[in-house]
Amino acid sequence: MSDENQPQTRALGPAATAEAPMDSPAPRAPRGPGAARPASGPAPWLLRLVAVGLVLTALNLRPAITSLGSLLEEVRDGLHMSGSVAGVLTSVPPLCFAVFGIMAPRLARRFGPGAVVCAGMIAITAGLVIRPLVGGTAGFLAASALALMGIAVSNVLMPVIVKHWFPDRVGSMTGLYSMALALGTSLAAAVTVPMTSALGGSWRLGLGVWAVLAAAAILPWLPVVRDRRGPSARPAGHGQDAPALRITRSRTAWALACFFGLQATAAYITMGWMPQIFRDAGVSAGTAGVLLAVTMAMGVPLAFVIPRVASRMRNQGPIVLFLGSCGLVGYAGLYLAPAGGAWAWALLLGISNCSFPLALTMIGMRSRTGAGVVRLSAFAQSVGYLISIPGPLLIGVLYQHTGGWEVPIALMAGLMVPQMAVGVLAGRARTIEDEC
């Protein structure tokens, strides 16, 4: 296993030991004339297809969101959408992630994770094809929800597929998947506007063209779905004896859930509204998209660095404070001089948004058992995404009723303060078993 996965293993402690037999290679059968033939694993061509499928799937887990953020003004004008309704639109991603993500483990147990991810890619393709064709706001929201449903289930199941198909390369494959996800996020933000201009200026074509990439991601999964010799489809942690924990009694669990929710709020506000903030300040649409791409691209290197550093610290509070401080400075810059220091504010907000890998790292460190980590992860992410839903909507309402960005930006900065507070509480060297 590569180095990038070692901090997580250390953080889980007993969990890693408990799950080791699942990932251990099967013992080799004795060789000889009368020896039994060893059971064959997945064919090499099938493993290569799964790897291609992972990369293509990861590339499609954010363009439906960031491409819309780059063209939000054109979509609002084309559909005669109010600022409040646009705020609803930017709140749809976390709502879908909270609702449909919960369904993913059950669907995977019944149909297998490969089949569910394949269905997720079909849903993304259908949603991206349908939403530019509809003529009303309701249809646009429904098509967006369809695409986001596919993103939600695929997002949850990607680590499961990595674990089962590549048990000896978890670190490298996770790194490959993470880089592809960040690349897809920043690529959609950077090229959507110039690509729309090249296609004649129609926002419908500019959004719909991303369906081509999603359709390409379906193809590698078709042979995987048909092949029945792949690894077990059960999610990680299934079948383990879960400790009798009342996780709602853990202050650390609630702190993690709130931290996850507030950092998700900041991320979705950034993806949905930051290009509009820059455009209203006089920055061109193309440059605003590139600025969002820069913000998203900061997650590529920092997603590797932050977990490594965090796993070597007993208390992750200092990292929380550093990331939060970058966010506060970035928001102050957006408030005082949005166009003058646009590149600096984009970089600072990109650093601040890397609270996501920190939250995942702390989830792994706040339980002593594998079953506890699974339960804590489900609780923190489900509650967190629910917490994040009102934020983008409220930003849209404030923007519409105040006619400017001063009050919305002040709210963004204000939300960073409780994020830092609960993050410091979640970063303390405690486990949920101690508190439950």
Side-chain angles (χ1 to χ4, degrees):
M1 188 175 295
S2 61
D3 288 341
E4 55 236 30
N5 199 47
Q6 289 177 359
Q8 183 179 3
T9 304
R10 284 192 294 270
L12 294 179
T17 305
E19 293 181 0
M22 180 182 294
D23 292 342
S24 300
R28 295 184 178 181
R31 299 184 181 273
R37 188 176 182 179
S40 60
W45 66 267
L46 191 59
L47 288 176
R48 286 193 289 270
L49 268 182
V50 174
V52 172
L54 282 170
V55 172
L56 288 176
T57 299
L59 285 172
N60 282 282
L61 293 183
R62 293 298 180 269
I65 304 171
T66 51
S67 62
L68 178 59
S70 300
L71 295 175
L72 187 58
E73 182 175 328
E74 288 78 5
V75 173
R76 287 179 57 195
D77 293 341
L79 297 177
H80 307 290
M81 188 184 298
S82 68
S84 298
V85 175
V88 171
L89 186 60
T90 56
S91 296
V92 169
L95 175 62
C96 290
F97 289 171
V99 173
F100 297 117
I102 298 175
M103 301 164 48
R106 181 174 297 180
L107 292 172
R109 284 194 294 269
R110 182 169 182 179
F111 301 106
V116 177
V117 170
C118 183
M121 292 298 103
I122 294 173
I124 294 172
T125 304
L128 293 179
V129 169
I130 294 171
R131 78 176 180 180
L133 301 178
V134 299
T137 300
F140 191 90
L141 288 171
S144 297
L146 176 61
L148 291 166
M149 177 179 67
I151 294 174
V153 295
S154 302
N155 202 36
V156 170
L157 294 178
M158 293 289 279
V160 177
I161 291 175
V162 169
K163 180 174 183 177
H164 285 293
W165 286 90
F166 304 97
D168 56 340
R169 286 178 284 167
V170 172
S172 58
M173 295 306 297
T174 300
L176 182 65
Y177 150 71
S178 300
M179 286 189 293
L181 192 152
L183 177 62
T185 304
S186 55
L187 185 66
V191 308
T192 295
V193 171
M195 185 167 57
T196 301
S197 300
L199 293 172
S202 170
W203 64 263
R204 296 181 185 275
L205 283 176
L207 292 182
V209 72
W210 291 103
V212 176
L213 182 61
I218 300 172
L219 302 178
W221 294 110
L222 297 178
V224 177
V225 172
R226 289 196 298 265
D227 189 89
R228 301 298 181 185
R229 297 170 298 170
S232 168
R234 294 183 304 170
H238 180 73
Q240 296 179 10
D241 294 330
L245 294 175
R246 295 185 179 180
I247 199 165
T248 55
R249 292 186 175 181
S250 169
R251 287 171 293 182
T252 297
W254 279 108
L256 262 174
C258 293
F259 179 68
F260 193 96
L262 289 170
Q263 66 82 27
T265 299
Y268 286 111
I269 289 174
T270 298
M271 284 189 283
W273 288 110
M274 196 175 80
Q276 190 65 51
I277 295 174
F278 285 127
R279 292 179 68 172
D280 287 349
V283 177
S284 68
T287 302
V290 174
L291 287 167
L292 178 59
V294 169
T295 300
M296 298 295 104
M298 291 300 297
V300 178
L302 292 182
F304 289 100
V305 174
I306 289 175
R308 287 176 179 238
V309 175
S311 63
R312 287 168 169 78
M313 301 173 63
R314 285 181 53 82
N315 189 325
Q316 290 75 44
I319 303 179
V320 171
L321 295 176
F322 170 75
L323 297 178
S325 298
C326 289
L328 288 175
V329 175
Y331 289 134
L334 284 181
Y335 188 95
L336 297 173
W343 295 99
W345 317 143
L347 286 171
L348 287 168
L349 291 174
I351 296 172
S352 178
N353 281 345
C354 288
S355 296
F356 176 69
L358 176 61
L360 295 181
T361 304
M362 290 196 293
I363 287 173
M365 299 179 70
R366 297 287 89 89
S367 177
R368 292 196 298 264
T369 66
V373 170
V374 171
R375 184 169 295 184
L376 178 59
S377 178
F379 175 80
Q381 294 197 45
S382 298
V383 173
Y385 278 127
L386 289 174
I387 290 173
S388 70
I389 292 171
L393 172 60
L394 185 56
I395 294 298
V397 171
L398 291 175
Y399 174 54
Q400 180 182 8
H401 288 283
T402 63
W405 285 107
E406 290 79 7
V407 175
I409 291 173
L411 175 62
M412 297 178 205
L415 290 175
M416 189 60 65
V417 176
Q419 176 181 324
M420 295 165 70
V422 294
V424 169
L425 292 176
R428 295 177 300 173
R430 299 186 181 184
T431 63
I432 58 174
E433 288 83 2
D434 295 334
E435 297 179 339
C436 294

